Amino acid sequence: MDDQLEALRSEALAAIDAASEEAALEQARIKYLGQAGALTAISKGMRDVSKEEKPRLGKLLNDVRGAITVALEDRKRALAARADAAAFANIDVTLPGAAHRLGTLHPITQLLDHAVGIFRRMGFAFADGPDIETEFHCFDALNTPADHPARNEQDTFYLPDGRLLRTHTSTVQIRTMEKETPPIRIIAPGAAYRRDEIDATHLAQFTQMEGLYVDEGVNLGDLKGTLEFFFRELFGKDAKFRFRPHFFPFTEPSFEVDIKSTALGAADKWLEIAGCGMVDPAVFEAMNARRGDLAFDPERYTGFAFGFGLDRLAMIMAGVPDIRYFTDNDQRFLAQF
Ligand code: PHE
């Protein structure tokens, strides 16, 4: 049995040494150490060994098993190291790597963050509402009668169940007044949807920023001061403003804001940038009726609201000639911001 074991040891070690790839090595392991392998076969002979010889032969058996096991592991490591070296052989680690280009925030998102930051400094809190709305939140509560053109199916996306895609973020005024009481000072940026013909200045989905301030004694001077401060922060101190009388169902009086600024390129052209006005008492009354209380007593509270399109502002500020660039997802455009 001694001879058998020694013969097996040298045969196995030679075979392992000769194995030039992992598959061959695995075959050697099965052949010598496997359940049906050579070592198992010899160890079965232990049954017939005399009591005196057993300890010595048992130890030799273990020695041989250990030697083969170690040789297998060593060879496996050597083969792996060789494969690694081969894999790296043709790689020039001194070549410059493939750089990961860092993305940037979308230009509208950048403007939105900037705008929210300015309003936060004036004490406005962030408010939110759903894009899919009811007619109540989009029109009725905003004093917009059933025959108003904005409610037309030609202008508004209606869902089969009668809900709609909000046509403006003024819905968030209503959402906020439903659950909160004065004083209220919020801004609400978000998507708005209109069934417009898509062209260089119109998309079916665009981004608006809404503002609402309700408290005792809020007046037109507050509205003007707030918007002028905001737009001066955005466009520079030399910006000039014009508040032009206008009509919105939910504000009275209502205005459109025009701005003129050297920062905007066309220095002597008035650009229309926002709609605004004093909250119409009819809106407060609709809220009270909805809530079943007098939280928005029009004898006690006044408020102002405003809304403007961020896409349009971004176009003016960056001199972008076509609104569709914002949604085309063209890297050559987006990487400039
Ligand atoms: N919701 C109006 C629009 O989309 C803008 C607006 C908001 C006007 C708030 C007045 C007050 O055109």
Side-chain angles (χ1 to χ4, degrees), residues 41-115:
I42 296 177
S43 66
K44 280 187 183 136
M46 283 295 281
R47 261 178 308 197
D48 308 324
V49 166
S50 69
K51 228 179 173 174
E52 297 75 46
E53 285 277 72
K54 225 169 211 157
R56 194 185 58 79
L57 277 172
K59 184 172 179 305
L60 181 59
L61 192 79
N62 278 337
D63 276 359
V64 172
R65 188 195 310 280
I68 296 175
T69 306
V70 168
L72 279 168
E73 282 167 4
D74 285 352
R75 187 69 188 147
K76 189 168 182 171
R77 253 194 305 275
L79 286 179
R82 210 180 61 188
D84 283 352
F88 282 116
N90 293 322
I91 294 178
D92 181 350
V93 294
T94 64
L95 283 175
H100 290 280
R101 271 206 296 152
L102 274 185
T104 55
L105 290 175
H106 189 277
I108 303 287
T109 308
Q110 289 183 36
L111 176 60
L112 194 154
D113 288 349
H114 187 184

Side-chain angles (χ1 to χ4, degrees), residues 235 259 263-264 271-273 311-320:
F235 294 129
I259 189 169
L264 300 180
L271 297 164
E272 176 197 319
I273 47 168
D311 315 66
R312 187 171 151 70
L313 273 194
M315 284 174 78
I316 296 172
M317 291 172 76
V320 176

Side-chain angles (χ1 to χ4, degrees), residues 224 241-248 253-259 270-276 312:
K224 270 194 90 193
F241 298 91
R242 193 166 72 178
F243 282 70
R244 228 173 348 94
H246 196 74
F247 175 80
F248 297 105
S254 305
F255 304 90
E256 273 190 335
V257 185
D258 299 336
I259 189 169
W270 286 108
L271 297 164
E272 176 197 319
I273 47 168
C276 64
R312 187 171 151 70

Side-chain angles (χ1 to χ4, degrees), residues 142 167-171 173 192 194 206 208-212 246-251 253-256 274-279 304-309:
L142 287 160
T167 57
H168 52 184
T169 45
S170 300
T171 53
Q173 293 185 36
R194 286 179 199 172
F206 55 104
Q208 281 194 328
M209 176 110 152
E210 191 81 11
L212 174 69
H246 196 74
F247 175 80
F248 297 105
F250 37 92
T251 46
S254 305
F255 304 90
E256 273 190 335
C276 64
M278 301 305 293
V279 178
F304 69 68
F306 58 83
F308 51 85

Side-chain angles (χ1 to χ4, degrees), residues 134 136-137 174-175 178 285-293:
T134 65
F136 174 79
H137 293 90
I174 303 307
R175 292 272 166 197
E178 273 179 339
E285 269 150 21
M287 292 323 303
N288 290 335
R290 176 80 161 186
R291 299 169 54 104
D293 60 17

Side-chain angles (χ1 to χ4, degrees), residues 304-337:
F304 69 68
F306 58 83
F308 51 85
L310 285 174
D311 315 66
R312 187 171 151 70
L313 273 194
M315 284 174 78
I316 296 172
M317 291 172 76
V320 176
D322 192 318
I323 194 172
R324 289 170 290 196
Y325 282 126
F326 290 130
T327 53
D328 280 352
N329 242 349
D330 188 331
Q331 277 289 312
R332 290 167 302 179
F333 172 74
L334 294 172
Q336 295 175 47
F337 295 88

